[in-house]
């Protein structure tokens, strides 16, 4: 089987399996953040390295948004302050690239955007952040599982 077909089928099987599991188990996890996590894994190059970079990078973005909302709330929230704090979080997400496991900037921004998208700009908190991080990590894990499935298809094993 050609590698692109195997990859597409592997991704299709992994996404379909997760969708079925999440619907049948009635899990309180939205599907779209899982797909964002999957996309981060694919864009990070896959494999164990891509799994680590995408999971930790996107998690860091969630943490940056939790910090942004907490500091903004503590300082009284206003438009100018929010703009400066969010800009500071963006700088932080770029500067963390000096740490190898947090060097996936796109993952950090995807995690930040997903946290805001799931919870709302002013409602980001630790409990919700944990749920978002779980959804993003499941997506990265699905990508890894899809690689394994496609590897089995290409080699005819399994």
């Amino acid at each position: 089987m050609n590698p692109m077909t195997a990859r597409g089928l592997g991704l299709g099987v992994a996404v379909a399996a997760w969708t079925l599991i999440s619907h049948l188990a009635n899990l309180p996890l939205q599907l779209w953040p899982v797909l964002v996590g999957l996309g981060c894994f694919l864009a990070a190059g896959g494999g164990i390295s891509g799994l680590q970079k995408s999971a930790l990078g996107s998690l860091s973005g969630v943490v940056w948004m939790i910090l942004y909302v907490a500091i903004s709330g503590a300082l009284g929230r206003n438009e100018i302050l929010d703009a400066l704090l969010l800009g500071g979080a963006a700088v932080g997400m770029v500067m963390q690239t000096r740490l190898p496991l947090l060097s996936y900037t796109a993952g950090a921004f995807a995690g930040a955007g997903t946290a805001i998208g799931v919870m709302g700009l002013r409602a980001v908190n630790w409990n919700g952040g944990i749920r978002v991080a779980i959804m993003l990590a499941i997506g990265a894990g699905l990508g890894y599982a899809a690689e394994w499935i496609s590897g089995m298809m290409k080699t005819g094993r399994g």
Side-chain angles (χ1 to χ4, degrees):
M1 177 178 304
N2 104 20
M4 188 59 70
T5 301
R7 185 178 200 193
L9 289 173
L11 285 166
V13 167
V15 169
W18 171 252
T19 303
L20 185 62
I21 290 166
S22 68
H23 288 343
L24 291 178
N26 200 23
L27 297 177
L29 304 172
Q30 296 177 34
L31 182 58
W32 71 267
V34 173
L35 295 177
V36 170
L38 173 61
C40 287
F41 169 81
L42 295 170
I48 292 293
S49 174
L51 182 62
Q52 291 171 334
K53 288 194 305 188
S54 62
L56 293 174
S58 60
L59 172 62
S60 74
V62 173
V63 170
W64 280 108
M65 287 307 96
I66 292 169
L67 292 173
Y68 153 69
V69 170
I71 293 169
S72 175
L75 297 176
R77 283 198 177 106
N78 70 59
E79 291 77 14
I80 295 171
L81 176 65
D82 277 358
L84 292 172
L85 288 172
L86 194 53
V91 170
M93 286 185 276
V94 172
M95 297 307 290
Q96 76 184 18
T97 61
R98 294 176 179 169
L99 303 170
L101 288 176
L102 298 178
S103 64
Y104 188 46
T105 306
F109 278 88
T114 302
I116 291 170
V118 169
M119 294 180 276
L121 186 58
R122 302 221 189 259
V124 177
N125 59 51
W126 286 109
N127 289 338
I130 290 168
R131 284 186 50 223
V132 171
I134 289 169
M135 290 182 272
L136 291 165
I138 288 170
L142 278 180
Y144 191 77
E147 276 188 352
W148 181 82
I149 292 167
S150 66
M152 293 295 111
M153 287 185 212
K154 286 189 285 189
T155 61
R157 296 181 302 181

